[in-house]
Amino acid sequence: MKPEVLQLNPILVPSINEKLDALYTMRRYYEQEDKEAYIREVGQRIRGVITGGHTGISRALMERLPSLEVVAVNGVGTDAVDLAYARQRGIPVTGTFGALTEDVADMALGLLLATCRNLCAVDRFVRDGLWPEFPQPGSIPLARRVSGMQVGIVGMGRVGQAVAKRAAAFGCMVRYTDLQPIAGVGHEFIPELRRLAEASDALVLCAAADKAEGIIDARILEALGKGGYLINIARGRLVNESDLVHALRSGAIAGAGLDVFVDEPNVPQELFAMDNVVLQAHRASATVESRTAMGEMVLASLADALAGRRPAMSLTT
Ligand code: 8YV
């Protein structure tokens, strides 16, 4: 009998789904109308869970899966999983570490460029047929140069380092903060986030959310200043969103490029009318290449755990 695996989020790569279906009895939770009844029906037999980084799994749901042997997160953020509880039960919680680094860093640079150079606002201006109507050069405000900016990276893990590499290639001066200096990183380490914000034209958030919830608030945005930009490709809850809306509205910062939000898929409505804000829908790892590599890592984690081996990407065992 094939092991039963509960899948909390869809995977968009057909080859990965084919492999999952060949190896396991897939229980696609996200397709169920009555999730409660579904867990009553299949919960006892579930040996593996696949979930997304943002979705994670609640402790309450894990408690209803007595045969659970592995939680494979199809992502790198494990902040939505109760790791201490998993550890207590001896359940490996795995991530897809390294699989999405380059794409997430590309998105950070894409958002920085799009925000500073007004790419989306000007795209709308052209599409809406406004250029012939307002052909004067002054109809579109001048943009902000990205090359040579002072870039502050918050969280110098794999993604932070990949962002640093790209920013340096644009001639940017890179500084960073983290819980401690990161070995092998040559950029200047600034322990206090506020000082980093003061020294930066753009802050790029690359930190895990579990130890950093709400760290970007009015005080930090004020330190970033009127000419400053905030880029977030990590987690929405790193930011106090109402402080951010207020800072953008009052001109306390110059703009923001955001891929992630506190209450996805709900985005603060106030941002929709702001041309100095570029919005994405949690898309940083959403390439065929990353999602295929991530899916392969999920498959490897399930295979190891269900064969009684410790998965290489386990954080809890
Ligand atoms: C993914 C993420 O969108 O890696 C993470 O933690 O949030 C994202 O890259 C998500 O995990 C896909 O399911």
Side-chain angles (χ1 to χ4, degrees):
M1 264 218 331
K2 295 197 280 191
E4 297 194 27
V5 171
L6 188 72
Q7 188 179 350
L8 305 192
N9 287 131
I11 286 181
L12 303 178
V13 183
S15 63
I16 301 295
N17 288 320
E18 280 160 26
K19 289 181 194 176
L20 285 170
D21 285 324
L23 292 165
Y24 306 110
T25 299
M26 293 305 297
R27 301 296 185 189
R28 296 200 160 93
Y29 184 76
Y30 60 89
E31 287 175 351
Q32 307 307 314
E33 286 228 327
D34 188 344
K35 296 192 163 50
E36 176 56 37
Y38 193 62
I39 292 299
R40 268 202 307 277
E41 184 192 328
V42 303
Q44 295 286 326
R45 302 189 302 273
I46 295 297
R47 294 179 56 196
V49 160
I50 303 175
T51 186
H54 184 68
T55 307
I57 181 170
S58 68
R59 177 174 174 154
L61 181 51
M62 285 172 86
E63 280 170 349
R64 299 187 62 191
L65 309 175
S67 314
L68 189 60
E69 291 168 56
V70 58
V71 173
V73 176
N74 187 31
V76 296
T78 53
D79 50 302
V81 183
D82 188 336
L83 296 180
Y85 173 71
R87 213 168 271 130
Q88 194 185 304
R89 272 182 63 183
I91 297 169
V93 176
T94 64
T96 60
F97 310 114
L100 47 62
T101 311
E102 307 304 323
D103 285 329
V104 177
D106 287 353
M107 177 64 92
L109 264 288
L111 282 172
L112 183 62
L113 285 162
T115 309
C116 292
R117 298 300 305 268
N118 303 333
L119 296 187
C120 299
V122 177
D123 177 271
R124 287 191 290 271
F125 178 84
V126 175
R127 273 172 208 270
D128 292 348
L130 295 174
W131 197 6
E133 229 181 285
F134 302 99
Q136 311 77 357
S139 317
I140 306 172
L142 292 179
R144 166 65 160 99
R145 177 187 288 170
V146 170
S147 293
M149 264 183 145
Q150 308 287 317
V151 171
I153 297 184
V154 181
M156 202 47 134
R158 286 185 189 83
V159 171
Q161 291 177 40
V163 171
K165 198 164 108 191
R166 286 158 176 73
F170 275 81
C172 297
M173 163 68 87
V174 174
R175 302 180 183 86
Y176 75 102
T177 194
D178 206 310
L179 299 177
Q180 70 246 324
I182 306 297
V185 171
H187 302 289
E188 185 187 351
F189 170 69
I190 301 193
E192 300 91 32
L193 176 56
R194 193 196 161 113
R195 277 221 298 121
L196 180 70
E198 277 166 1
S200 303
D201 300 316
L203 273 187
V204 184
L205 308 186
C206 305
D210 34 8
K211 295 191 191 83
E213 185 151 358
I215 54 170
I216 305 295
D217 58 10
R219 203 177 65 97
I220 300 300
L221 294 167
E222 196 186 301
L224 182 58
K226 289 189 191 320
Y229 291 83
L230 181 75
I231 305 299
N232 191 0
I233 42 77
R235 280 288 182 271
R237 57 199 185 85
L238 293 169
V239 179
N240 179 320
E241 247 168 23
S242 54
D243 285 3
L244 175 62
V245 168
H246 188 261
L248 286 162
R249 199 188 268 142
S250 69
I253 66 167
L258 309 170
D259 186 41
V260 287
F261 303 89
V262 171
D263 179 30
E264 294 170 11
N266 301 306
V267 173
Q269 298 268 324
E270 296 93 327
L271 300 179
F272 294 172
M274 296 181 185
D275 271 349
N276 55 340
V277 175
V278 175
L279 302 170
Q280 286 289 294
H282 202 142
R283 302 283 298 160
S285 72
T287 67
V288 170
E289 292 76 7
S290 273
R291 291 291 168 88
T292 305
M294 290 159 71
E296 291 294 348
M297 287 170 101
V298 164
L299 280 159
S301 294
L302 288 174
D304 282 341
L306 298 179
R309 298 184 296 267
R310 179 190 172 274
M313 298 291 166
S314 172
L315 288 178
T316 46
T317 56

